[in-house]
Amino acid sequence: MRTSIATVCLSGGLVEKLHACAAAGFDGVEIMDADLVGAFESPEEIRALCARLGLRIDMFQPFRDVEGVDPVTFADTLRRAEAKFDVMERLGTDLMLVCSNVGTATVDDDAVAAAQLGELADLAAARGIRLAYEALAWGRYVDDYRRAWRIVQLADRPNLGTCLDSFHILSRGHDPAAIEEIDGDKIFFLQLADAPALDMDVLSWSRHHRLFPGEGAFDLTAFLGHVLAAGYRGPYSLEVFNDTFRQTDVGRTAAHARRSLTWLADRTAAAHDWGIDRLPDPQPARGIDFVEVAGESLDAVDEMLAQLGLTFRGRHRSKPVRLWSAGEARIILNEQRRDEAPLVAGLGLVVDDARVAADRARALGAPAVYRRTYAGEQELPAVAAPDGTEVFWGDRSGSGSWVEEFLGGDAIPGPLDGVIDHVNLGYRWQHFDEAVLFAGSVLALATESTAEVPGPMGLVRSQVMRTADGVVRLPINLAPPTAPVPPRHIAIRCDDVVGAARRARAAGLRFLRMPANYYDDLAARFGPALDPALLEDLRELDLCYDRDGEGEFIHLYTPRVGGVFFELVERRGGYDGYGAASAPVRLSAQRAAG
């Protein structure tokens, strides 16, 4: 697989973009005309830089408004083309993207379009240049890849082919199956982009909301399968117009983009059972082994866990780390991070084969994490997520055996018995899509639901990533651009939250205070369906409540300690949500608490 990326996908100047593309492992680039025009480096200097970086300039783009025009306009088009052919020769590339006309077309006639594209192709052929004709989704007359292919066939020039762009095809709802009817040798280039399912005009959708593969709603696995079945053997290139990606760190975005292509190629190969090199098999998580909280001073977290009823299991025999547990829920406190407030910093997952999981993660570009282990200690392979969160894998056959490395714990278990229900992760607005792709591609989690929660500083977008059986759930929260990153929290599920709350209250823990108006609203919303005695318990203990047709959800929140807090939850019946209706109240209560 040869990989490529359009420079429009990235922030910064052209030289910065090229360095980032090479560092991320791309084989080539599409040079955007606007990026070159804005660069102080000459085409020859850009060509030399690409050669030094090991990047091939796969295509120069775009050339617009060619076909379907009057003779006077077309004469000027040929003049413009000659000037751009000069630039291409200086860059050392032989392929130009020609977009279907959106601005100057006045003639809706395939024969005219073919004749004009043919004449342009003849001009290009004299310079050794090929043209890839692409149907834009908002083209004046040509907005369907099938019509673009018919025009290419009518023009019948060896140096004129087509470019297939997943966004332009899938955003219009066109059936990609007909791609297999195109001669693979005449598919000169392939551009890939994902996108969310939005109801808006296609031009705005394209210009602002494209995503990298694996982050949106398009079935790119099936799309790419059709392209490869047609016989295409050129680069897989990304062309993603996105306001966020054009503002984020260029190196990080390039690495993010490269991961998406690796993931898509592997998914497509698996779906079609092609005998090509594949990534190591995904390792679905069988459970959460532990969650790690790290920071300089964690005494307040120790106290809170004790008040909640967790059991102190001891200190690690060789590291400044201690362990608390509540049944199968295990929380590690790590004081090796200096000058940092407490935060959720690591996650341990149980899988069938930890080594395979780590190998797959590294193949997808996740850097390995090194932690010193001594003789007799269990080694857990790990990588760093894009935000620095460390992900560890342990074999299901030896799950929890590392617990024996902790010494001096309490002999009598505490009163709380539970499991990790979910771990809520907060991200800055510019890293949200990257986090979703990492969870899907590296952790083998699937997207469950997306919600927007109104908070005191704007809408918080939440995307749940989970295993099919729900034993691992990671809600990923996106902070509004002007708001701080949402604190992360660990939710422990138990069988009796009311009882656990009373014990914690008796131990001196005060939960996040909820307003009286919240409980009045619960009474109004649920009426007689909500047991009055339970409602009084909720009021007394600052508990939260939700219900649906499947069951009930009772939960409580602790105060924050640095950048982390805890939640106790009880699921009754088949309730499978997260108490979304209470989330806006919780956000306001946390802001009021400071």
Side-chain angles (χ1 to χ4, degrees):
M1 177 181 73
R2 287 196 293 122
T3 60
S4 189
I5 184 170
T7 55
V8 74
C9 300
L10 305 171
S11 65
L14 183 53
V15 169
E16 295 173 85
K17 296 182 183 194
L18 295 175
H19 278 281
C21 292
F26 282 97
D27 302 306
V29 291
E30 301 174 44
I31 298 288
M32 296 294 291
D33 194 12
D35 283 327
L36 183 64
V37 169
F40 284 95
E41 294 77 19
S42 68
E44 289 83 1
E45 289 172 314
I46 295 300
R47 176 179 184 173
L49 174 61
C50 286
R52 290 197 301 273
L53 293 173
L55 292 172
R56 172 175 170 166
I57 301 177
D58 288 315
M59 188 163 70
F60 180 71
Q61 67 127 320
F63 192 70
R64 302 184 184 277
D65 298 337
V66 174
E67 82 289 7
V69 299
D70 62 78
V72 173
T73 303
F74 186 65
D76 188 61
T77 297
L78 296 180
R79 177 198 60 78
R80 287 191 295 116
E82 285 278 22
K84 294 304 178 183
F85 292 160
D86 289 340
V87 172
M88 291 177 64
E89 287 183 339
R90 296 171 67 191
L91 281 172
T93 186
D94 70 344
L95 182 62
M96 172 186 274
L97 178 68
V98 178
C99 300
S100 64
N101 199 326
V102 300
T104 62
T106 57
V107 182
D108 184 11
D109 188 305
D110 286 0
V112 171
Q116 291 177 335
L117 283 172
E119 189 171 344
L120 179 65
D122 291 340
L123 194 65
R127 312 282 288 269
I129 290 172
R130 299 175 300 135
L131 306 178
Y133 181 51
E134 172 186 59
L136 296 181
W138 53 91
R140 179 75 177 275
Y141 299 122
V142 181
D143 59 9
D144 187 324
Y145 77 97
R146 291 163 292 196
R147 186 173 184 184
W149 169 233
R150 289 197 299 270
I151 293 171
V152 167
Q153 289 177 297
L154 279 173
D156 193 21
R157 299 298 198 279
N159 66 324
L160 176 64
T162 189
C163 173
L164 298 176
D165 183 307
S166 63
F167 182 87
H168 294 305
I169 294 170
L170 300 179
S171 66
R172 295 297 302 267
H174 297 318
D175 184 356
I179 289 172
E180 297 189 29
E181 300 172 12
I182 301 174
D183 179 354
D185 291 335
K186 297 294 279 185
I187 303 174
F188 282 2
F189 209 70
L190 170 66
Q191 294 176 319
L192 296 163
D194 211 333
L198 298 175
D199 185 11
M200 65 188 307
D201 72 276
V202 71
L203 178 56
S204 297
W205 190 12
S206 172
R207 286 287 176 259
H208 303 285
H209 301 289
R210 295 195 195 194
L211 297 169
F212 292 123
E215 299 172 346
F218 290 166
D219 187 354
L220 292 184
T221 299
F223 175 84
L224 182 55
H226 291 307
V227 175
L228 297 180
Y232 178 74
R233 296 297 179 262
Y236 299 17
S237 190
L238 296 168
E239 187 190 45
V240 174
F241 297 87
N242 183 289
D243 295 342
T244 297
F245 300 155
R246 284 184 278 191
Q247 299 177 61
T248 52
D249 176 79
V250 62
R252 181 167 176 170
T253 304
H256 170 194
R258 184 64 181 82
R259 176 179 295 124
S260 75
L261 271 185
T262 303
W263 171 86
L264 176 60
D266 185 65
R267 283 283 295 265
T268 306
H272 294 274
D273 196 25
W274 288 325
I276 61 175
D277 290 341
R278 297 266 325 278
L279 295 175
D281 290 337
Q283 295 292 300
R286 307 303 183 182
I288 294 179
D289 205 7
F290 62 86
V291 183
E292 180 179 278
V293 176
E296 183 175 20
S297 178
L298 299 173
D299 292 345
V301 181
D302 278 304
E303 181 181 13
M304 184 175 289
L305 294 178
Q307 291 170 324
L308 285 171
L310 279 79
T311 304
F312 177 64
R313 301 293 298 274
R315 298 177 181 276
H316 195 271
R317 64 192 184 198
S318 65
K319 304 179 183 70
V321 174
R322 46 196 184 269
L323 172 65
W324 290 81
S325 70
E328 297 179 14
R330 291 187 283 259
I331 297 172
I332 289 175
L333 304 186
N334 184 347
E335 290 189 331
Q336 294 181 92
R337 291 199 181 190
R338 300 300 180 187
D339 302 319
E340 288 188 14
L343 78 162
V344 174
L347 182 68
L349 298 177
V350 179
V351 294
D352 291 339
D353 193 322
R355 187 59 57 188
V356 171
D359 289 345
R360 176 181 173 86
R362 287 190 289 270
L364 284 161
V369 169
Y370 171 75
R371 285 200 179 176
R372 184 184 300 278
T373 55
Y374 295 93
E377 295 178 356
Q378 183 174 349
E379 182 182 356
L380 300 175
V383 299
D387 69 332
T389 301
E390 296 177 349
V391 179
F392 298 82
W393 287 280
D395 291 331
R396 179 158 55 166
S397 59
S399 175
S401 60
W402 52 268
V403 172
E404 299 173 2
E405 299 168 16
F406 288 81
L407 308 173
D410 294 334
I412 301 175
L416 188 65
D417 186 11
V419 298
I420 300 294
D421 185 82
H422 60 274
V423 182
N424 232 315
L425 304 176
Y427 283 85
R428 297 187 184 279
W429 62 274
Q430 66 268 38
H431 300 148
F432 181 81
D433 295 311
E434 184 180 17
V436 171
L437 176 63
F438 180 86
S441 62
V442 175
L443 306 185
L445 301 179
T447 57
E448 178 191 45
S449 60
T450 301
E452 290 187 340
V453 178
M457 300 188 70
L459 288 177
V460 175
R461 181 181 170 198
S462 181
Q463 170 72 69
V464 176
M465 307 294 296
R466 57 173 283 173
T467 54
D469 58 8
V471 298
V472 176
R473 306 168 187 248
L474 300 182
I476 298 175
N477 295 332
L478 164 68
T482 58
V485 178
R488 299 180 169 198
H489 78 265
I490 303 165
I492 300 173
R493 185 171 75 251
C494 62
D495 293 333
D496 180 12
V497 161
V498 173
R502 292 196 184 282
R503 290 192 298 270
R505 178 74 64 87
L509 180 59
R510 290 295 179 265
F511 311 126
L512 180 68
R513 184 168 176 267
M514 305 298 286
N517 294 333
Y518 170 71
Y519 299 102
D520 293 340
D521 180 67
L522 287 181
R525 276 197 290 142
F526 298 116
L530 176 56
D531 181 0
L534 176 57
L535 179 59
E536 286 308 307
D537 287 338
L538 301 177
R539 287 182 189 270
E540 176 192 354
L541 298 169
D542 287 306
L543 304 184
C544 298
Y545 179 84
D546 192 24
R547 70 183 299 142
D548 59 19
E550 303 299 325
E552 299 174 284
F553 189 62
I554 307 172
H555 53 133
L556 65 83
Y557 300 104
T558 71
R560 281 181 293 183
V561 179
V564 66
F565 64 97
F566 296 90
E567 181 183 7
L568 292 187
V569 309
E570 177 185 347
R571 297 181 182 274
R572 295 181 175 179
Y575 186 94
D576 202 39
Y578 304 88
S582 302
V585 184
R586 187 258 297 175
L587 291 170
S588 295
Q590 286 178 323
R591 187 167 187 265

